């Protein structure tokens, strides 16, 4: 009897330790610097391959040419985070828009710019750890609708435009839901409110890579 209880106690402790390690891995911060990024093709090669890409969806285009570094998990939909050290913000926005035209492009504010496509919101900004690295977050419209803070998006777009893109009265409804905090305000590499961190390991990206 004592031996059985001892074994039960051991396995319970083991499960608790594994859970703690898993939670720590999910919430740990990622440092995004040029030294830590995977190797990328040279700038001219990237420009040529992106311009020659025949993808119709912006998420497919970005995934095919930039390293995936993180995933932010919402309740149902995810946001994928890519990075590059080959371009600055203006160059990325101009290049992507020239290949697949967005529905809307915001003005630059707080060193960020948002491009709105039919099914995705693409945010481009410098890494908080290394300004020479640009972070590209691709969030599906459903992820944005269910997780983003209207106060964050209204920095870049009018409430009227947001409501037209995300559904009637979205901004008022989300503002009420966000009163207690926990709404998402874009990728930072650290801890989150409502959305959770997914795979925090750098995954291979670039030409020829899949999900």
């Amino acid at each position: 009897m004592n031996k059985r209880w001892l074994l039960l106690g051991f396995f319970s402790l083991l499960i608790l330790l594994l859970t703690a390690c898993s939670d720590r891995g999910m919430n740990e911060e990622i440092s995004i610097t040029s030294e830590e990024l995977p190797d990328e093709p040279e700038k001219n090669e990237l420009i040529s391959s992106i311009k020659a890409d025949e993808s119709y969806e912006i998420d497919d285009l970005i995934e095919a040419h930039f390293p995936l570094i993180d995933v932010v998990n919402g309740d149902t939909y995810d946001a994928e985070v890519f990075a590059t050290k080959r371009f600055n913000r203006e160059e990325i926005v101009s290049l992507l828009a020239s290949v697949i035209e967005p529905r809307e492009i915001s003005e630059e504010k707080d060193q960020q710019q948002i491009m709105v496509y039919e099914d995705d919101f693409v945010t481009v900004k410098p890494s908080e750890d290394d300004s020479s690295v640009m972070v590209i977050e691709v969030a599906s419209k459903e992820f944005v609708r269910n997780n983003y803070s209207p106060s964050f998006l209204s920095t870049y777009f009018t409430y009227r435009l947001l409501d037209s893109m995300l559904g009637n009265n979205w901004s008022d409804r989300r503002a009420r839901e966000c009163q207690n905090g926990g709404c998402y305000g874009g990728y930072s590499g650290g801890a989150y409110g409502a959305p959770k961190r997914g795979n925090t390991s750098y995954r291979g990206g670039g030409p020829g890579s899949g999900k």
Side-chain angles (χ1 to χ4, degrees):
M1 180 68 70
N2 289 338
K3 187 174 182 180
R4 186 175 69 181
W5 283 110
L6 185 63
L7 286 172
L8 273 172
F10 171 76
F11 283 115
S12 297
L13 180 61
L14 182 61
I15 290 171
L16 286 172
L17 286 172
L18 289 174
T19 302
C21 290
S22 175
D23 289 343
R24 186 164 57 248
M26 291 281 283
N27 295 315
E28 68 182 359
E29 293 190 4
I30 282 186
S31 176
I32 305 174
T33 65
S34 59
E35 291 79 12
E36 294 166 325
L37 284 184
D39 289 337
E40 295 181 87
E42 292 301 317
K43 184 175 182 177
N44 288 339
E45 182 182 345
L46 268 174
I47 291 173
S48 296
S49 61
I50 290 171
K51 286 186 174 181
D53 197 302
E54 297 182 353
S55 297
Y56 293 101
E57 302 293 338
I58 192 65
D59 57 336
D60 293 335
L61 179 69
I62 292 171
E63 180 189 50
H65 301 283
F66 298 105
L68 175 65
I69 58 169
D70 204 355
V71 176
V72 182
N73 304 128
D75 292 337
T76 306
Y77 298 89
D78 299 334
E80 294 184 320
V81 182
F82 304 82
T84 180
K85 55 190 174 186
R86 299 300 189 211
F87 303 94
N88 61 33
R89 176 185 48 78
E90 296 91 337
E91 290 171 333
I92 293 174
V93 170
S94 176
L95 179 59
L96 294 178
S98 71
V99 178
I100 302 180
E101 184 178 0
R103 176 178 172 182
E104 300 284 344
I105 302 179
S106 78
E107 296 293 328
E108 180 275 328
K109 293 183 180 180
D110 301 323
Q111 301 185 70
Q112 300 187 69
Q113 210 163 354
I114 301 177
M115 310 168 70
V116 180
Y117 288 85
E118 188 64 31
D119 298 312
D120 298 286
F121 281 55
V122 179
T123 303
V124 182
K125 67 175 186 176
S127 165
E128 295 183 4
D129 304 298
D130 184 343
S131 61
S132 70
V133 174
M134 293 295 113
V135 174
I136 309 167
E137 179 179 14
V138 183
S140 71
K141 185 187 290 185
E142 290 302 320
F143 180 92
V144 172
R145 181 181 286 123
N146 297 332
N147 295 286
Y148 265 78
S149 163
S151 62
F152 167 72
L153 288 180
S154 66
T155 305
Y156 302 91
F157 304 105
T158 66
Y159 280 126
R160 182 176 180 180
L161 181 59
L162 290 172
D163 285 345
S164 72
M165 293 187 293
L166 298 170
N168 290 335
N169 208 35
W170 174 84
S171 54
D172 286 342
R173 177 177 56 80
R174 279 300 290 166
R176 290 193 296 271
E177 294 171 351
C178 294
Q179 283 180 348
N180 295 325
C183 285
Y184 188 63
Y187 184 81
S188 67
Y192 300 102
K196 306 298 182 184
R197 288 287 287 281
N199 182 355
T200 58
S201 299
Y202 289 1
R203 291 195 280 166
S209 296
K211 288 184 180 179

